[in-house]
């Protein structure tokens, strides 16, 4: 699978899956950052660490869940 800047990917950091966005492709790997994080993730992510990417996203659907979570529901 091909990955490029702007793709939202799931990658493994040890045994922990992380969902973040590729912000830059470099010769040694990908620079990746969470949308709400002020700085990129430490180090470069290798293609072999990436286990998937989004193909369709509905960002607005997260708001009702977040709202209910803040209400304690």
């Amino acid at each position: 699978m091909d990955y490029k800047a702007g793709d939202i990917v799931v990658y493994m950091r040890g045994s922990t899956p992380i969902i973040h966005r590729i912000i830059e492709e470099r010769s040694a790997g990908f620079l990746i950052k969470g949308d709400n994080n002020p700085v990129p993730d430490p180090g470069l992510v290798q293609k072999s660490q990436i286990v998937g990417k989004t193909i369709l996203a509905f960002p607005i659907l997260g708001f009702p869940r977040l709202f209910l979570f803040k209400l304690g529901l």
Side-chain angles (χ1 to χ4, degrees):
M1 185 169 283
D2 291 323
Y3 304 105
K4 63 186 182 311
D7 286 346
I8 300 170
V9 297
V10 179
Y11 74 95
M12 300 302 291
R13 181 153 316 244
S15 61
T16 304
I18 299 175
I19 303 171
H20 281 171
R21 185 182 306 273
I22 295 174
I23 57 172
E24 186 179 322
E25 183 177 358
R26 297 185 176 175
S27 59
F30 298 98
L31 191 61
I32 294 184
K33 179 174 115 33
D35 288 348
N36 272 339
N37 295 349
V39 295
D41 296 355
L44 294 175
V45 174
Q46 304 304 309
K47 189 173 184 176
S48 61
Q49 291 175 268
I50 299 175
V51 295
K53 76 175 185 176
T54 60
I55 56 170
L56 183 62
F58 295 100
I60 195 73
L61 294 180
F63 290 112
R65 183 192 166 280
L66 181 61
F67 178 72
L68 293 174
F69 178 75
K70 288 189 180 240
L71 291 176
L73 303 175

